[in-house]
């Protein structure tokens, strides 16, 4: 699971949960894989991100690196900045671990990089 | 005639999926902001004459279109050979001359659609153009300029006319095969794909869908019923960054029974949506797949996608399910670990209701939802299709499935944000009972076939016994006839 995806996921499917965001991450295996940088893609994603969630998520798994705590102005033209964002968004992957609902504590497991958000029948 | 920059072009299409051509070309034209003018209403013929603002526009369309086989700058068209030559001679010389220069190699080729020609015939036809003042050298392989005579003999190979119905002459715009997309279909063939399943979409149709969704470089694309990811493969081909979700845990982990006819009992260890993306060099565009129930909220409300491309389950070859139970109970803790949640049927009507609502919420304004919808043909009419107030129906193309059912590819464009809770009143009876009807008709069909076979068998037995009777009457005339024949 990439941190870009984590930035968008919630546990709102659970009965009784109001927002279910952001999900906590318990990482057992994290991989870093170098991926082709596409500045257009990164520039367009940045306004969609919840920046604090991104930074905190990266930090919680020890991969915040030198990612700034806030988005800089004119980020579209700052290639260095875009590359740092690219790294955290798509190059860091949680392969084994868990996502944790912030309201109920319910855990969703991540196996082989794929999060399992299925609920049990009594949780709907 | 027309504005000075617009020229006539001939689009030549592959002879299949006719209903999908116009939507595809229209979508691509809007993607590149091309003003395309149809000189005749698009029809069943595999050729269309259009007006385009430039050759660049032709190349742009060819760079995306899966249905287009080739494109030529049209210099002349006619119904007879004589008329064609007359029209070629009257095409403005200043438009032809740039291609006749001595430093440009050329060749003239002849294509006959739905007919054969001998080498001698071909040569005669080529020589009939010798009046053209071509100064460059002839080069058969990869020339600078390729002029083409196209003869159209209709669509019925059983009734080929003496003379072609239409003749076209012009200059090929696509100099390399790579300029078109037809070879991509082979490249992405399911036969060679790493991870496939029962419902993997064939490359041509999945590429159509990606074109209909206007996938652009850097777009965020989701398939909420991702299966083996065949639609995402197509989206990534046009530059999309892809996400998928599916309720089937085993499927996404590549642990379902293999569907290929082969000796192996198990799939390879690394079969997955991701492995498909890796196979085509698109791993950097693979974001994630998630095991999730598409009927439940998963993403934060402000998450916006550029495109949603999907083929929901129809309930025929795969189950339509969501998490749930008709019972009301609590699962005790020691049962929880390893519990596989039970599922209830997820009605087709409900699937589309949820999908449309989801798309209305999570698509950007102007973003497109492209999805298939199965229908029983007898019941179908366009006004019965499920609709949603946030969407405008851009295109609707049919593909036959069986004699009594087909599926429609819908292209829906988001035109407004959801205002209030959608009650789904627009999703109507068309969707209801599709699965029941599918099997009902199938059952009827089978019953009729059985009856027909039984009647045929009876008739055959009667004919046999009649013949034996007749033979029996001849016994007296033919003494060496085997007496046991009448016992059969």
């Amino acid at each position: 699971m990439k941190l870009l995806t984590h930035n968008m996921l919630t546990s709102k499917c659970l009965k009784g949960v109001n927002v279910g965001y952001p999900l906590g991450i318990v990482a057992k295996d994290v991989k870093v894989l170098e991926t082709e940088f596409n500045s257009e893609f990164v520039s367009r994603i940045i306004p969609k991100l919840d920046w604090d969630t991104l930074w905190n998520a990266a930090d919680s798994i020890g991969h915040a690196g030198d990612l700034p705590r806030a988005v800089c102005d004119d980020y579209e033209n700052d290639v260095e900045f875009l590359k740092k964002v690219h790294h955290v968004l798509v190059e860091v992957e949680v392969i084994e671990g868990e996502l944790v609902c912030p309201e109920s504590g319910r855990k969703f497991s991540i196996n082989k990089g794929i999060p399992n958000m299925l609920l049990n029948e009594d949780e709907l | 005639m027309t504005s000075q920059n617009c020229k006539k072009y001939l689009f030549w299409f592959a002879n299949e999926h006719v209903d999908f051509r116009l939507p595809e070309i229209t979508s691509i034209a809007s993607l590149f902001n091309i003003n395309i003018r149809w000189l005749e209403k698009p029809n069943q013929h595999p050729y269309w004459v259009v007006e385009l603002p430039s050759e660049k526009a032709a190349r742009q369309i060819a760079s995306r279109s899966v249905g287009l086989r080739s494109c030529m700058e049209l210099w002349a068209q006619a119904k007879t050979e004589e008329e064609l030559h007359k029209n070629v001679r009257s095409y403005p010389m200043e438009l032809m001359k740039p291609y006749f220069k001595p430093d440009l190699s050329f060749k003239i080729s002849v294509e006959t659609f739905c007919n054969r020609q001998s080498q001698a015939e071909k040569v005669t036809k080529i020589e009939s153009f010798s009046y053209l003042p071509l100064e460059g050298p002839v080069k058969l392989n990869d020339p600078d300029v390729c002029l083409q005579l196209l003869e159209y003999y209709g669509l019925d190979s059983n009734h080929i006319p003496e003379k072609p119905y239409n003749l076209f002459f012009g200059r090929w715009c696509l100099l390399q095969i790579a300029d078109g997309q037809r070879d991509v279909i082979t490249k992405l063939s399911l036969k060679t794909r790493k991870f496939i399943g029962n419902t993997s979409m064939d490359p041509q149709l999945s590429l159509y869908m990606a074109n209909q969704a206007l996938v652009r470089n850097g777009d965020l694309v989701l398939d909420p019923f991702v299966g083996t990811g065949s639609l995402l493969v197509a989206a990534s081909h046009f530059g999309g960054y892809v996400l998928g979700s599916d309720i089937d845990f085993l499927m996404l982990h590549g642990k379902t029974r293999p569907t290929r006819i082969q000796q192996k009992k198990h799939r390879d260890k690394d079969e997955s949506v991701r492995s498909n993306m890796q196979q085509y060099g698109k791993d950097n565009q693979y974001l994630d797949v998630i095991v999730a129930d598409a009927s439940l909220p998963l993403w934060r409300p402000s998450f916006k996608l550029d495109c949603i491309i999907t083929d929901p389950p129809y309930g025929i070859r795969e189950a339509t399910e969501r998490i749930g139970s008709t019972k009301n109970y609590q699962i005790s803790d020691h049962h929880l670990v390893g519990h596989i949640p039970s599922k209830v049927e997820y009605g087709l009507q409900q699937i589309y209701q949820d999908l449309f609502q989801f798309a209305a919420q999570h698509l950007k304004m102007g973003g497109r939802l492209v999805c298939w919808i199965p229908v029983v043909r007898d019941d179908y009419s366009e006004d019965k299709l499920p609709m949603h107030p946030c969407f405008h129906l851009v295109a609707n193309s049919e593909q036959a499935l069986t004699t009594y059912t087909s599926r429609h590819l819908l292209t829906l464009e988001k035109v407004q944000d959801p205002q209030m809770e959608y009650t789904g009143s627009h999703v109507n009876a068309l969707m209801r009972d599709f699965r029941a009807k599918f099997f009902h008709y199938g059952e009827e069909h089978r019953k009729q076939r059985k009856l027909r076979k039984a009647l045929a068998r009876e008739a055959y037995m009667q004919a046999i016994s009649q013949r034996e009777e007749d033979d029996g009457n001849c016994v007296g005339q033919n003494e060496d006839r085997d007496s046991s024949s009448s016992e059969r």
Side-chain angles (χ1 to χ4, degrees):
Chain A
M1 182 201 67
K2 299 183 175 157
L3 294 181
L4 186 159
T5 311
H6 167 264
N7 204 265
M8 310 297 171
L9 286 174
T10 74
S11 51
K12 183 89 173 73
C13 47
L14 288 166
K15 191 163 57 180
V17 167
N18 289 322
V19 178
Y21 183 86
L23 298 169
I25 308 178
V26 174
K28 294 180 186 131
D29 182 20
V30 178
K31 282 202 167 64
V32 176
L33 193 67
E34 207 179 298
T35 313
E36 198 183 308
F37 170 67
N38 181 339
S39 63
E40 158 118 30
F41 173 69
V42 182
S43 304
R44 284 169 58 189
I45 279 282
I46 288 173
K48 298 185 187 190
L49 299 169
D50 180 319
W51 191 262
D52 284 339
T53 298
L54 179 68
W55 199 94
N56 290 329
D59 189 51
S60 75
I61 57 173
H63 283 268
D66 50 0
L67 186 74
R69 293 225 68 170
V71 186
C72 62
D73 296 324
D74 195 35
Y75 58 82
E76 280 132 327
N77 297 316
D78 187 344
V79 176
E80 281 314 305
F81 175 73
L82 291 177
K83 283 191 173 160
K84 286 180 191 164
V85 181
H86 163 85
H87 175 75
V88 168
L89 278 183
V90 297
E91 289 188 335
V92 177
E93 289 192 60
V94 179
I95 303 295
E96 301 291 325
E98 284 160 335
L99 291 168
V100 188
C101 170
E103 287 169 47
S104 66
R106 205 267 202 203
K107 294 189 172 145
F108 298 92
S109 59
I110 303 174
N111 308 104
K112 287 165 92 193
I114 301 174
N116 181 1
M117 306 302 290
L118 291 183
L119 306 179
N120 297 317
E121 310 84 296
D122 56 348
E123 288 175 301
L124 292 165
Chain B
M1 184 169 70
T2 48
S3 81
Q4 54 202 143
N5 285 329
C6 282
K7 283 204 206 128
K8 280 199 210 172
Y9 291 84
L10 182 82
F11 281 163
W12 190 261
F13 291 95
N15 201 27
E16 60 200 347
H17 299 308
V18 179
D19 216 20
F20 294 76
R21 279 178 200 159
L22 182 57
E24 193 200 29
I25 298 295
T26 310
S27 289
I28 298 170
S30 79
L31 191 67
F32 290 108
N33 250 320
I34 295 170
N35 206 353
I36 188 172
R37 219 185 102 189
W38 313 100
L39 292 176
E40 9 176 280
K41 192 168 154 211
N43 49 35
Q44 297 293 312
H45 299 320
Y47 63 83
W48 292 352
V49 181
V50 300
E51 223 167 62
L52 295 172
S54 65
E55 179 149 327
K56 178 177 164 204
R59 285 177 186 274
Q60 283 175 321
I61 292 174
S63 75
R64 290 281 297 229
S65 171
V66 204
L68 193 67
R69 273 184 60 194
S70 71
C71 173
M72 73 154 98
E73 182 187 71
L74 192 63
W75 289 0
Q77 73 181 94
K79 294 207 182 296
T80 67
E81 215 179 300
E82 220 187 294
E83 204 193 320
L84 183 75
H85 287 291
K86 183 165 142 258
N87 292 342
V88 172
R89 285 180 204 271
S90 48
Y91 190 75
M93 183 49 74
E94 68 266 19
L95 294 176
M96 292 197 281
K97 239 171 83 169
Y99 303 103
F100 297 165
K101 293 210 287 266
D103 57 336
L104 293 174
S105 61
F106 77 93
K107 83 166 185 186
I108 299 182
S109 69
V110 183
E111 283 288 322
T112 53
F113 185 84
C114 204
N115 198 4
R116 288 201 208 93
Q117 59 182 347
S118 66
Q119 190 59 21
E121 284 170 330
K122 191 167 162 177
V123 170
T124 317
K125 288 172 193 169
I126 294 174
E127 286 175 353
S128 69
F129 288 94
S130 54
Y131 56 86
L132 290 174
L134 290 147
E135 291 171 53
V138 175
K139 187 169 177 240
L140 295 182
N141 261 339
D142 201 22
D144 296 315
V145 174
C146 183
L147 300 177
Q148 186 169 70
L149 166 67
L150 206 51
E151 294 182 334
Y152 178 67
Y153 288 85
L155 291 166
D156 186 354
S157 50
N158 290 323
H159 294 102
I160 302 173
E162 267 282 333
K163 294 277 174 194
Y165 291 120
N166 276 294
L167 299 103
F168 303 96
F169 185 78
R171 182 182 61 84
W172 254 52
C173 300
L174 308 183
L175 289 181
Q176 288 111 20
I177 302 294
D179 280 359
Q181 291 291 299
R182 297 292 297 173
D183 60 326
V184 178
I185 298 171
T186 314
K187 181 179 153 200
L188 301 183
S189 167
L190 291 182
K191 293 199 185 102
T192 50
R193 192 168 303 172
K194 180 83 187 170
F195 178 43
I196 59 165
N198 241 348
T199 53
S200 297
M201 181 79 50
D202 77 67
Q204 178 154 2
L205 290 177
S206 52
L207 288 163
Y208 268 132
M209 292 176 81
N211 272 329
Q212 285 302 107
L214 303 179
V215 177
R216 291 173 174 91
N217 179 37
D219 273 354
L220 216 48
V221 182
L222 170 77
D223 181 352
F225 299 98
V226 71
T228 56
S230 44
L231 303 185
L232 297 185
V233 165
S236 69
H237 179 71
F238 292 130
Y241 280 69
V242 302
L243 285 160
S245 71
D246 203 288
I247 203 171
D248 192 342
F249 180 96
L250 293 175
M251 167 75 89
L252 288 186
H253 283 266
K255 298 260 184 273
T256 50
R257 203 184 315 150
T259 50
R260 279 201 162 91
I261 298 167
Q262 60 189 5
Q263 306 293 54
K264 285 200 293 187
K265 282 196 179 151
H266 302 289
R267 293 185 182 266
D268 285 340
K269 280 206 176 66
D270 57 347
E271 284 189 39
S272 63
V273 173
R274 185 174 206 160
S275 66
N276 284 343
M277 304 280 295
Q278 283 167 338
Q279 180 180 357
Y280 304 117
K282 300 289 180 190
D283 191 42
N284 59 308
Q285 287 164 239
Y286 171 85
L287 293 174
D288 272 302
V289 295
I290 299 159
V291 185
D293 183 339
S295 73
L296 297 176
L298 182 67
W299 309 98
R300 60 172 158 92
S302 53
F303 177 46
K304 299 294 181 217
L305 296 152
D306 294 293
C307 326
I308 298 174
I309 308 180
T310 194
D311 184 23
Y314 315 150
I316 304 303
R317 280 179 298 170
E318 72 291 283
T320 50
E321 305 171 309
R322 60 175 165 162
I323 305 294
S325 174
T326 45
K327 306 182 206 134
N328 238 329
Y329 60 88
Q330 183 100 31
I331 302 160
S332 54
D333 280 346
H334 66 270
H335 280 133
L336 260 178
V337 180
H339 176 75
I340 295 174
S342 67
K343 298 174 185 148
V344 291
E345 196 172 323
Y346 189 15
L348 214 53
Q349 204 166 337
Q350 191 67 42
I351 288 182
Y352 285 93
Q353 220 165 287
D354 288 346
L355 178 62
F356 285 17
Q357 187 61 7
F358 174 86
Q361 174 68 45
H362 290 291
L363 272 175
K364 69 181 179 195
M365 193 59 71
R368 288 186 175 187
L369 163 65
V370 179
C371 64
W372 289 96
I373 202 162
V375 301
V376 172
R377 292 173 119 172
D378 282 347
D379 276 356
Y380 171 80
S381 66
E382 192 168 283
D383 54 320
K384 283 188 181 174
L385 284 173
M387 276 305 120
H388 190 290
C390 294
F391 290 99
H392 165 63
L393 181 68
V394 171
N396 170 14
S397 304
E398 185 189 20
Q399 185 198 28
L401 289 177
T402 68
T403 30
Y404 43 91
T405 62
S406 62
R407 61 179 176 183
H408 286 247
L409 184 65
L410 302 184
T411 304
L412 298 146
E413 193 164 289
K414 178 172 168 180
V415 295
Q416 68 179 66
D417 277 316
Q419 299 298 319
M420 55 183 152
E421 197 56 48
Y422 168 55
T423 56
S425 54
H426 299 254
V427 181
N428 56 31
L430 187 70
M431 292 284 87
R432 211 157 49 209
D433 306 323
F434 172 76
R435 191 163 186 264
K437 281 182 188 165
F438 182 96
F439 287 113
H440 166 78
Y441 274 96
E443 190 51 44
E444 281 306 305
H445 204 61
R446 266 190 296 278
K447 277 185 192 160
Q448 277 171 17
R449 265 206 325 264
K450 267 191 184 157
L451 188 63
R452 218 180 335 118
K453 276 190 181 158
L455 290 172
R457 216 170 21 241
E458 218 181 287
Y460 176 70
M461 293 311 288
Q462 274 181 359
I464 295 274
S465 48
Q466 186 63 45
R467 194 152 35 106
E468 283 161 7
E469 232 179 81
D470 294 344
D471 284 350
N473 292 338
C474 301
V475 151
Q477 295 167 24
N478 202 338
E479 264 147 10
D480 58 351
R481 182 168 291 278
D482 183 4
S483 61
S484 67
S485 66
S486 56
E487 285 159 25
R488 253 185 263 125

